[in-house]
Amino acid sequence: MAQAAEAKKRVRTKEKTVDRDTLMKAYRSMLLIRRFEEKAGQLYGMGLIGGFCHLYIGQEAVVVGMQLALSLGDEVITSYRDHGHMLATGMEARGVMAELTGRSGGYSHGKGGSMHMFSKEKNFFGGHGIVGAQVSLGTGLAFSNMYRGNDRVAITYFGEGASNQGQVFESFNLAALMKLPAVYVIENNKYGMGTSVERASASHDLSKNGAPWGIPGAQVDGMDVLAVKEAAEQAVAACRAGKGPYLLEVKTYRYRGHSMSDPAKYRTREEVQMMRTQHDCIENARHRLEELDVEEKAFKAIDDEVKGIIQDAADYAQSTPEPELSELYTDVMLEG
Amino acid sequence: MATQILMPALSPTMTEGKLAKWLKGVGDDVRAGDVIAEIETDKATMEVEAVDEGKLARILVEEGTEGVAVNTPIAVLSVNGEDVSAEPAAPAPKAAVQPPKAAAEPADPKAIAEQGARGQRKDALEAAPAPEKAPSPEKDWGPTKPTTVREALRDAMQLEMRRDGDVFLIGEEVAQYQGAYKISQGLLDEFGPKRVIDTPITEHGFTGLAVGAALNGLRPIVEFMTFNFAMQAMDQIINSAAKTLYMSGGQMGCPIVFRGPNGAASRVGAQHSQCYASWYAHVPGLKVVSPWSSADAKGLLRSAIRDPNPVIVLENEILYGQTFECPTDEDFLVPIGKAKIERAGRHVTLVAFSIMVGVALKAADALAELGIEAEVINLRSLRPLDTATIVESVKKTNRLVTVEEGWPFAGIGAEVAMQIIEQAFDWLDAPPVRVHGVDVPLPYAANLEKLALPQPDWVVEAVKKIV
């Protein structure tokens, strides 16, 4: 009880007027991701999903808050912890779940898996399994916007672990030199696999990691979806105005292990419980909506709708067939 | 309603584990995300989290039980608070009873093996025209003029950049400096800094940037000052450029050209003298070409720029200044995947690429004086490899000698020889012979360097062994 009261108090300290519809939308998106990931964890446990599977539970506010600030056509690229990003960009839960089960109805027809999905239609560029590689690629997406002279912005997500890769700094330099419309989002969930950020980075404020190149940065509370949205709007607006790249360090937390096979012994159960009970992004949003007099039945309706989508996705992911054996040889090369 | 809690798989390889400890007891309320039990796998102790909400109604597997198979029901959760202590638990989800792995097993393992073999053959056939078919003759492009390889490469980029506004050149010193080896001379003047882009010395970064731009539909030409520096960017070339089409189920292609000098120059030492042909040719999803003459350079680079796939163009610094006759036809192209017979002969087939074509031709001159007529094949493309042309030639000469500057182990010569063994074994009158760079890092000293790189007389000696 005391914890809940404290959480409410935290919410109240925000004085800004909140657009109820926007927050409802964010609440629904976050819940969809959470339920999706819980179901994915369950299907993994049943042996229906294999290999690596990195869940996004706890971090939902980051991608949902960012997405609220984007416009149609903006590009998104991220690492291997990517299910939430795909759902946030509007990709179908069915297609994502069916890719996790390695079935023909998946976004990559079962040939990519959890870490490798793409949607040209939604401008989602993956899904990358090599830590940090997506940062240079995302810089290239921003470059293509500048080359074409459009006003699109490319959003590149990476973890605080990836932030130490050399090509991240190479990318910062290139983006600043060329004034590219690139928003870099460091999702700082405090642990790069089992190594805490304090043990991995001599920089204590990752939002300043672009400072040598004059890249403006901000630290954001990643458990507060509206705080993320606000910071994202500022970053995206600066990019669209042609001011060059922008860096956000979003402080977040993953409740689950790094991947399914991570026993997470590098942190205490109390630490995880404390984040879950006091800082959960979905609970935060719900409290705030309750204060805006959203009634229980409205939450129930969202719950039911989300449950339906996830159940449908799980059913589809198990009923759509495995890819044809001939698929082994397709998509290696394009004709030409 | 009751839901069974199943023994979960907690790693990609787990099939069973020990149920070490229950953290919730019968009658306890459980919320989604609560840790309910601990399981020991072969690697670690893992926590099991509840997925559904409810009351823990029954425990089916006591703590301390070892060897609990994945998907075994371990407990029953009552979802709406009803008493399920006596009733049998609801049947486990269908998938748990019939794991998908079983469903995935082919009805007939032999069939899948055959499918694989067929597919591979299909792959090989797609890579080149069918060996049974006679290779198509080289097209006559009409008038030519003397052109250096350097000019030919520049002309190719210039023509393609005029043709398609999405094509741009990016790399170190390509713009204001006009190219470290002066390949991009004049391009900045014509196309401006938007399309001829100087980068800092940052191979990993600018290669990733270019690949990202290609995934978004642009057509970059990435110049590596030399391919030795592309090792810094190898991950982006292989993992991002070559594999994304496949990983995206065919959605996202990567039309990009990586080009620059490859192999030994002269006295530049081990780190700057290496042939990457077999490295890149190994990778499905990449095309690899390696021009020798000016016509090769111009025609292949134009084809590479138009190709919707990532193409590696392995040039050679020593060849840049050499002059060859080159077609002047505006539409001149050399198709990727097509070798060229530079000299016809009937006693032995010499297969070479890049600067070694010149070495092979010199050797053929010397062999002619000994009364041996060598046929010299200029591969031009390494992947896809034009095995049809080589097979056709070996069927005539019955002997094969490969010539390459790179190291022998797992090299291009090894691959060519194996293709011939597989496809024309009965026509061989002698084992294939490989001529190659010596299997050491390239030394600096002039005399040692000369000793390490294939010379025409090495080829002559190799031929004499089998003719």
Side-chain angles (χ1 to χ4, degrees):
Chain A
M1 283 310 284
Q3 284 168 347
E6 199 179 301
K8 277 197 177 184
K9 214 166 92 194
R10 236 168 52 81
V11 172
R12 281 211 192 87
T13 57
K14 297 269 173 188
E15 294 301 332
K16 296 222 176 225
T17 49
V18 175
D19 172 359
R20 195 168 117 160
D21 290 346
T22 303
L23 191 53
M24 275 304 262
K25 194 176 147 193
Y27 175 79
R28 182 194 170 279
S29 292
M30 291 191 293
L31 196 70
L32 181 75
I33 296 171
R34 171 108 11 131
R35 295 288 172 259
F36 181 96
E37 294 292 62
E38 286 167 356
K39 182 58 83 176
Q42 192 183 18
L43 297 185
Y44 192 95
M46 289 159 67
L48 284 161
I49 297 172
F52 292 122
C53 185
H54 308 87
L55 301 182
Y56 197 60
I57 297 175
Q59 300 182 213
E60 296 90 343
V62 182
V63 73
V64 170
M66 288 300 303
Q67 197 67 28
L68 286 171
L70 302 189
S71 303
L72 197 68
D74 291 339
E75 297 94 350
V76 171
I77 189 167
T78 187
S79 71
Y80 44 80
R81 196 178 305 285
D82 54 359
H83 311 161
H85 302 70
M86 292 187 273
L87 296 174
T89 58
M91 288 167 69
E92 300 276 342
R94 279 184 149 210
V96 179
M97 196 70 93
E99 189 60 36
L100 298 186
T101 54
R103 303 302 179 94
S104 58
Y107 268 97
S108 302
H109 311 315
K111 289 154 83 167
S114 164
M115 302 187 288
H116 307 300
M117 275 180 258
F118 308 80
S119 170
K120 242 182 179 165
E121 188 202 341
K122 301 292 181 192
N123 268 354
F124 179 73
F125 287 80
H128 294 270
I130 306 298
V131 176
Q134 79 276 19
V135 182
S136 317
L137 295 170
T139 307
L141 297 175
F143 172 87
S144 56
N145 292 334
M146 185 196 69
Y147 191 89
R148 292 192 167 120
N150 61 33
D151 71 342
R152 294 176 176 185
V153 173
I155 313 297
T156 301
Y157 295 90
F158 52 107
E160 88 292 336
S163 74
N164 297 312
Q165 283 279 26
Q167 67 179 314
V168 172
F169 298 105
E170 294 189 29
S171 296
F172 287 172
N173 183 42
L174 286 166
L177 262 180
M178 300 181 177
K179 278 194 172 296
L180 300 181
V183 176
Y184 297 106
V185 183
I186 301 178
E187 297 195 55
N188 181 358
N189 66 17
K190 295 177 82 170
Y191 299 92
M193 202 165 154
T195 304
S196 67
V197 61
E198 293 80 12
R199 293 173 56 221
S201 181
S203 164
H204 296 299
D205 180 351
L206 303 185
S207 71
K208 295 201 174 111
N209 277 15
W213 300 278
I215 300 176
Q219 282 187 324
V220 190
D221 176 2
M223 307 308 276
D224 178 347
V225 71
L226 293 178
V228 176
K229 173 179 177 277
E230 204 176 301
E233 281 167 348
Q234 200 170 341
V236 168
C239 272
R240 269 201 234 289
K243 293 181 180 166
Y246 207 102
L247 175 61
L248 296 176
E249 180 197 1
V250 186
K251 300 220 168 196
T252 182
Y253 201 79
R254 67 168 151 73
Y255 299 168
R256 297 293 188 95
H258 163 72
S259 66
M260 294 303 293
S261 50
D262 170 19
K265 295 299 175 204
Y266 42 82
R267 58 187 187 185
T268 63
R269 193 174 291 166
E270 288 70 33
E271 179 182 305
V272 181
Q273 270 315 105
M274 188 273 286
M275 290 306 292
R276 283 184 122 141
T277 52
Q278 295 179 33
H279 300 286
D280 185 69
C281 56
I282 297 178
E283 287 298 311
N284 265 348
R286 191 180 167 120
H287 288 314
R288 213 177 300 186
L289 284 165
E290 282 167 356
E291 285 172 4
L292 292 167
D293 300 325
V294 173
E295 291 176 15
E296 181 59 31
K297 65 177 181 199
F299 291 118
K300 178 82 168 62
I302 290 178
D303 275 1
D304 289 347
E305 187 222 344
V306 164
K307 240 179 214 165
I309 294 171
I310 299 306
Q311 195 50 52
D312 169 70
D315 291 344
Y316 178 72
Q318 293 170 67
S319 62
T320 174
E322 292 188 303
E324 293 288 330
L325 297 183
S326 59
E327 281 276 312
L328 179 60
Y329 298 102
T330 59
D331 305 325
V332 178
M333 283 281 181
L334 288 168
E335 293 289 321
Chain B
M1 204 190 88
T3 307
Q4 285 187 346
I5 299 173
L6 305 178
M7 182 73 171
L10 296 168
S11 79
T13 51
M14 175 178 167
T15 55
E16 59 169 46
K18 176 182 176 183
L19 207 164
K21 197 173 175 191
W22 280 107
L23 298 167
K24 295 276 181 186
V26 172
D28 284 354
D29 283 327
V30 173
R31 289 193 57 182
D34 282 355
V35 178
I36 55 171
E38 281 181 5
I39 286 174
E40 282 175 21
T41 70
D42 51 347
K43 285 188 224 142
T45 302
M46 305 278 298
E47 293 173 346
V48 182
E49 293 177 359
V51 181
D52 298 306
E53 284 188 10
K55 201 180 273 292
L56 196 63
R58 288 164 62 198
I59 283 178
L60 303 175
V61 176
E62 291 304 320
E63 64 179 36
T65 310
E66 304 212 25
V68 182
V70 164
N71 278 333
T72 308
I74 55 173
V76 179
L77 201 65
S78 98
V79 177
N80 294 324
E82 80 280 54
D83 178 20
V84 292
S85 53
E87 74 181 67
K94 212 167 120 206
V97 179
Q98 196 179 23
K101 287 213 174 77
E105 270 169 30
D108 177 5
K110 224 176 108 195
I112 203 178
E114 275 169 17
Q115 170 80 20
R118 252 205 315 280
Q120 273 169 26
R121 212 170 301 132
K122 178 171 148 274
D123 215 26
L125 291 180
E126 270 172 7
E132 294 76 25
K133 230 169 51 188
S136 55
E138 189 77 7
K139 181 175 173 179
D140 182 5
W141 286 94
T144 61
K145 72 167 186 193
T147 311
T148 63
V149 170
R150 172 176 286 116
E151 290 161 347
L153 291 166
R154 193 266 322 275
D155 292 350
M157 291 192 283
Q158 185 179 46
L159 288 167
E160 294 306 306
M161 288 177 76
R162 285 177 185 167
R163 187 174 168 267
D164 183 348
D166 283 344
V167 177
F168 66 93
L169 174 66
I170 186 168
E172 292 156 11
E173 310 289 6
V174 297
Q176 293 189 12
Y177 196 88
Q178 309 286 320
Y181 296 101
K182 297 286 179 282
I183 304 299
S184 50
Q185 228 157 12
L187 295 184
L188 175 66
D189 288 344
E190 179 170 349
F191 300 105
K194 184 192 158 195
R195 298 182 65 194
V196 183
I197 303 160
D198 276 330
T199 68
I201 303 165
T202 184
E203 277 84 6
H204 202 172
F206 74 68
T207 303
L209 181 153
V211 172
L215 293 175
N216 210 2
L218 296 180
R219 306 183 82 93
I221 305 167
V222 177
E223 176 174 309
F224 291 116
M225 195 180 286
T226 80
F227 260 96
N228 304 289
F229 314 144
M231 273 204 283
Q232 298 256 12
M234 200 59 127
D235 173 63
Q236 292 291 4
I237 298 171
I238 312 288
N239 271 319
S240 303
K243 295 180 184 172
T244 298
L245 181 69
Y246 195 82
M247 296 191 302
S248 67
Q251 270 191 79
M252 211 164 271
C254 189
I256 191 168
V257 171
F258 301 103
R259 51 154 292 268
N262 170 66
S266 182
R267 309 284 314 277
V268 294
Q271 289 184 338
H272 285 71
S273 312
Q274 180 167 335
C275 175
Y276 290 90
S278 78
W279 291 49
Y280 292 110
H282 188 61
V283 182
L286 292 181
K287 291 186 180 181
V288 184
V289 300
S290 192
W292 166 60
S293 66
S294 303
D296 294 350
K298 185 175 179 182
L300 286 171
L301 182 54
R302 292 187 76 182
S303 291
I305 295 168
R306 293 184 193 187
D307 202 281
N309 302 289
V311 184
I312 309 277
V313 182
L314 300 170
E315 302 160 4
N316 184 287
E317 186 192 331
I318 294 167
L319 292 175
Y320 282 156
Q322 294 190 11
T323 301
F324 298 81
E325 286 297 320
C326 186
T328 52
D329 191 313
E330 273 286 305
D331 297 322
F332 171 64
L333 285 172
V334 170
I336 294 175
K338 187 79 191 69
K340 185 183 176 194
I341 297 169
E342 297 287 351
R343 175 183 176 133
R346 60 197 171 100
H347 296 132
V348 63
T349 299
L350 305 181
V351 174
F353 61 94
S354 186
I355 194 167
M356 287 296 129
V357 174
V359 170
L361 285 169
K362 275 189 189 149
D365 285 342
L367 288 164
E369 287 174 20
L370 302 171
I372 299 171
E373 293 173 28
E375 180 147 297
V376 178
I377 295 178
N378 171 7
L379 286 177
R380 298 195 296 200
S381 293
L382 304 173
R383 186 187 186 102
L385 186 69
D386 183 2
T387 38
T389 294
I390 312 169
V391 164
E392 203 63 25
S393 173
V394 169
K395 282 183 178 175
K396 184 172 63 174
T397 65
N398 312 112
R399 289 171 178 82
L400 172 70
V401 173
T402 63
V403 190
E404 69 186 310
E405 192 186 84
W407 295 311
F409 196 89
I412 297 295
E415 179 59 33
V416 169
M418 192 62 206
Q419 294 278 351
I420 291 306
I421 287 167
E422 283 178 342
Q423 296 185 39
F425 187 75
D426 292 339
W427 278 273
L428 283 172
D429 284 348
V433 179
R434 289 175 292 167
V435 174
H436 49 77
V438 172
D439 203 11
V440 297
L442 200 73
Y444 165 71
N447 62 335
L448 295 182
E449 187 184 64
K450 197 167 173 232
L451 216 53
L453 297 172
Q455 310 294 326
D457 57 327
W458 297 18
V459 182
V460 171
E461 288 309 308
V463 169
K464 277 166 51 184
K465 272 193 232 164
I466 58 168
V467 172

